[in-house]
Amino acid sequence: MLTKCFSTILFIAISLHGFSQTQLLTNVYNRTGVTTLNGDWKYIVDPYENGYYNYRYEPFDQQPAPWASAFFLNSKPKDASDLLEYDFDGMEDIQVPGDWNSQKPELLYYEGTLWYKKSFDYTLSDSSNRLFIYFEACNYKAEVYFNGKKLGSHTGGFTPFNFEITDLVKDTDNFIVVKVDNKRLKEGIPTLNTDWWNYGGLTREVRIVETPSNIVQDYTIGLDQDDAKWITAAITLDGSDIAYKTIELLIPELGISQKVQSDANGKASVKIKAKRINYWSMESPTLYDVQIRTDSETITDQIGFRTIKTKGQQILLNDKPIYLKGISIHEESPLRDGRGHSIEDARQLLTWARELGCNYVRLAHYPHNEHMVRLADQMGILVWEENPVYWTIEWDNPDTYQNAEDQLAEVIARDKNRASVIIWSMANETPNIPARNAFLTKLATFTREQDNTRLISAALEQKNFEGDPFVRTIDDPFADVVDILSFNQYIGWYDGLPEKCSKISWHITQDKPVLISEFGAGAKYGMHGDTLERWTEEYQEYLYEETLSMIDKLPAVQGFSPWVLVDFKSPRRVLPVIQDGWNRKGLISDDGKKKKAFFTLQRFYEQKN
Ligand code: GCB
């Protein structure tokens, strides 16, 4: 990880460790040697988890000799007299990537276990090579088995994980079985209660990654945030022969070709003085081709170089103040039903954001797929990434904390080389109580240790100042921890009518940049009426007009991300005819039609320099 170790010009750390199965392979997005396992998989719906537990409710995968009825064995009857009560190959297909809810009408509301199976042949192109199976995301809990052996499990629905299968792969008849369980859990991250659809399944791509025996397992390359003339790089090798190896870092357009030697542990760090960098910015999102070469492989990436800081109430990109013209986005496909996962989904969402005039998006309320941040890098759109710590979770539960930390570590590992990502958000609308304060403070400390080159925030809540309903303040100890003070507010929707905005004054005392992370109102596309008639486009438009004029008078506000770009599915939203299972606060309807408020915000952003 990039941390304070870059204070010296050339620093090589020395330690030795092997590849653990859960350590994330870097940059699978761009790697060579990738074979997709997308497409048809067989599936079994298993609400009683009959393929996982025996009749004493003991997990089969913890028995010395699991019965053939354990689904992960993918058993077949040996002869006509053999009793077996499942057969993957006789089942229907399901598409990966994809959630099951939107693919199978009978599974729309299903929350529980579904087993996935895919068979494939695979021959290593070199017998000394290694093989990994990489999941971009699986919601929520995955138990992963390969050729009848357990590889491990993973918790958390929105971040990647991988396992090494080098010693288990055969030339023919491999089978991968994944038990996916999306039951909501009180102790989970997120917990039982959210305002979005709990899409289950192998929701993003699954890939087989073949690598040489010694690999570049991880790297962090970016600008020194204190001195933008320097590029810093930290590289970790993995394999049996990684000590004292020459690693070459090439950035041809900057004339950089720097050799560095790994330590006994396969780690290397270097700091390079760079001339004439075109810094990555919204107007000019320059990405440089970067190569990391070892004697066994070359990794390529496209990386932008920029600094991001705060100074008093300002946010500085490359030392210049910026105003974040944003919008919040859920990861739903704008092109079909269900969870978004494709580059086309990402492109449509970000193109709409661009059309709105945005230079910034809040990716709510969990890490979105990698296409989003890769495209944001290319398009010059700044990104807020969020951990799914939402509303009221089990603040006192150490396992819950660990789960939150793991999910955050995984998204940081995936996206730390993306210039577009400027904010790590710890949480959304959490209660101001001691256990939560301790939890989030620990999470923020962890995040800074992992990545001290970005800003930390969280969507907090506002409250009445000294009991006055017309004066609002942010009175929250976590406000002292964050770099950017963000809060959600729904004056005019959950809190009075739109004209209330003009009566509110703000008592914000923190000397930090302020972002309004949410405001909004529900409107059904095509429903028209008076400005005070709920659910009409006119009400939503009026609320935007009133809120924008309120915000414009607040000098501390450095940007905002209204709720939300597109209507999204939520089982909380049951009002017939109007909601029918959709949160209608989108500026765009679920079938892609722009509501009046879209143009109100677009006009505001046009005028805002
Ligand atoms: C919020 C939440 C968001 C909800 C939204 C709403 O404050 O952060 O997840 O969807 O309000 O529509 O009520």
Side-chain angles (χ1 to χ4, degrees), residues 279-514:
Y279 293 116
W280 185 97
S281 67
M282 283 115 57
E283 303 73 33
S284 164
T286 308
L287 299 177
Y288 287 97
D289 283 328
V290 174
Q291 290 180 24
I292 302 162
R293 279 196 201 153
T294 65
D295 56 8
S296 48
E297 66 172 351
T298 300
I299 301 285
T300 58
D301 205 345
Q302 292 75 45
I303 296 182
F305 298 103
R306 55 106 189 94
T307 58
I308 188 79
K309 291 176 208 163
T310 65
K311 188 173 169 207
Q313 294 186 336
Q314 291 181 325
I315 303 172
L316 306 178
L317 179 73
N318 301 322
D319 290 327
K320 292 193 202 78
I322 51 170
Y323 192 89
L324 301 182
K325 305 182 202 176
I327 190 72
S328 298
I329 305 182
H330 257 298
E331 191 194 39
E332 280 196 357
S333 172
L335 309 167
R336 45 173 169 75
D337 279 349
R339 184 62 77 224
H341 57 71
S342 68
I343 193 158
E344 291 80 17
D345 291 334
R347 188 168 287 122
Q348 179 64 78
L349 292 169
L350 292 179
T351 302
W352 276 333
R354 225 327 104 77
E355 212 179 317
L356 193 55
C358 295
N359 57 19
Y360 159 70
V361 290
R362 174 185 179 208
L363 302 184
H365 283 298
Y366 39 75
H368 289 210
N369 64 73
E370 196 171 346
H371 296 304
M372 288 293 273
V373 288
R374 291 274 181 177
L375 279 180
D377 255 16
Q378 290 170 25
M379 293 169 74
I381 297 179
L382 298 165
V383 174
W384 155 308
E385 288 212 85
E386 188 159 317
N387 208 28
V389 173
Y390 185 87
W391 291 353
T392 300
I393 62 159
E394 289 196 346
W395 305 109
D396 287 316
N397 184 336
D399 294 339
T400 302
Y401 174 79
Q402 196 53 52
N403 180 358
E405 193 181 283
D406 291 348
Q407 294 190 45
L408 198 50
E410 285 162 357
V411 67
I412 293 172
R414 191 191 73 179
D415 291 343
K416 62 193 170 176
N417 293 312
R418 304 283 71 82
S420 55
V421 178
I422 54 164
I423 297 170
W424 298 123
S425 170
M426 302 292 101
N428 180 74
E429 290 182 353
T430 51
N432 178 355
I433 52 170
R436 165 279 204 176
N437 299 339
F439 184 112
L440 291 189
T441 302
K442 193 170 168 193
L443 204 56
T445 305
F446 168 79
T447 306
R448 289 195 169 104
E449 282 162 12
Q450 298 291 298
D451 178 7
N452 63 355
T453 69
R454 289 182 173 79
L455 307 174
I456 286 185
S457 196
L460 303 178
E461 293 178 324
Q462 39 98 39
K463 58 184 276 204
N464 294 342
F465 176 61
E466 293 178 346
D468 184 340
F470 293 100
V471 184
R472 300 296 167 86
T473 193
I474 316 300
D475 179 12
D476 184 329
F478 196 59
D480 298 334
V481 177
V482 293
D483 299 308
I484 295 189
L485 184 69
S486 308
F487 61 89
N488 298 348
Q489 65 82 17
Y490 281 88
I491 299 162
W493 183 252
Y494 295 123
D495 175 2
L497 296 172
E499 53 242 34
K500 187 168 179 182
C501 293
S502 60
K503 302 194 180 82
I504 299 285
S505 64
W506 292 84
H507 181 78
I508 296 177
T509 51
Q510 293 88 350
D511 186 28
K512 298 193 177 188
V514 173

